[in-house]
Amino acid sequence: PDCGVAATVDAVEPRGAEPLLYVSRDRQTLAVRVAGDCTVPVAQSVWLRVDMARARFFDRATGTALP
């Protein structure tokens, strides 16, 4: 693919309609909200495309959402 990020699934947090995948790349961890019917096993390689209009960022030290 010509855009996106390769990552590895480290954990899956079931949350009903929108589970969270915790994925890592280059020693960075991302929490990714996915559709409820998405089933990805831990250690699976995935390809992510980020919709920047819907992305949310947080301060690592405080956990506060950034504008």
Side-chain angles (χ1 to χ4, degrees):
D2 59 351
C3 63
V5 176
T8 302
V9 177
D10 296 321
V12 178
E13 182 179 334
R15 294 173 47 116
E18 295 181 324
L20 287 178
L21 301 181
Y22 292 92
V23 301
S24 61
R25 175 186 165 86
D26 297 331
R27 292 183 272 169
Q28 298 291 318
T29 300
L30 300 170
V32 181
R33 185 171 54 186
V34 296
D37 62 350
C38 179
T39 56
V40 181
V42 171
Q44 175 73 42
S45 295
V46 293
W47 190 259
L48 307 173
R49 257 190 343 202
V50 179
D51 179 349
M52 294 305 290
R54 297 180 64 180
R56 301 293 177 257
F57 298 92
F58 298 86
D59 182 282
R60 182 184 300 236
T62 65
T64 303
L66 300 173

